[in-house]
Amino acid sequence: MSITLHIEPAFALAYKRYAEFQAGDILRLYVRTSGPGTGGLFYAIEKDTVMTDDAIFDVEGLRFVIRPTDFWYFDGGQFTYNPAFGEYGFSFSNPRLED
């Protein structure tokens, strides 16, 4: 199973700047739910290791990995960064999730 995902270079570079991630770091992207009663979903990111079935995306020296159980959320999506918003300029969109 494979997924299609676009991660802008600016997104990876901004994570290096604001979160102090370094070239060679492995960053797990995964799905989280927001607080009680809101029911919203959003992406989260943390340092991790590569698992056998992970999808792997190498961007600007960072390795982003996703477990197959989270493919449904990320497949067809795009990570972008808008520098006008500084450390709040990160965004994820996926037309497959919009209805």
Side-chain angles (χ1 to χ4, degrees):
M1 187 183 329
S2 66
I3 70 171
T4 302
L5 176 67
H6 178 70
I7 302 172
E8 285 185 350
F11 179 88
L13 291 170
Y15 258 105
K16 283 182 175 179
R17 180 178 24 212
Y18 291 112
E20 299 182 5
F21 291 141
Q22 304 295 315
D25 282 347
I26 299 168
L27 306 173
R28 176 147 323 270
L29 295 165
Y30 60 99
V31 182
R32 293 196 51 158
T33 57
S34 57
T38 61
L41 298 172
F42 61 97
Y43 81 92
I45 189 168
E46 66 185 9
K47 286 187 180 180
D48 203 356
T49 58
V50 177
M51 304 300 281
T52 304
D53 294 335
D54 284 344
I56 300 170
F57 302 88
D58 292 310
V59 183
E60 296 295 331
L62 297 176
R63 178 165 278 190
F64 295 90
V65 297
I66 302 170
R67 287 185 184 96
T69 55
D70 288 331
F71 285 3
W72 66 271
Y73 182 79
F74 294 105
D75 189 28
Q78 177 173 318
F79 284 99
T80 59
Y81 174 73
N82 184 337
F85 298 109
E87 64 186 83
Y88 301 103
F90 299 94
S91 67
F92 173 72
S93 62
N94 188 340
R96 293 180 183 183
L97 299 176
E98 298 169 8
D99 213 336

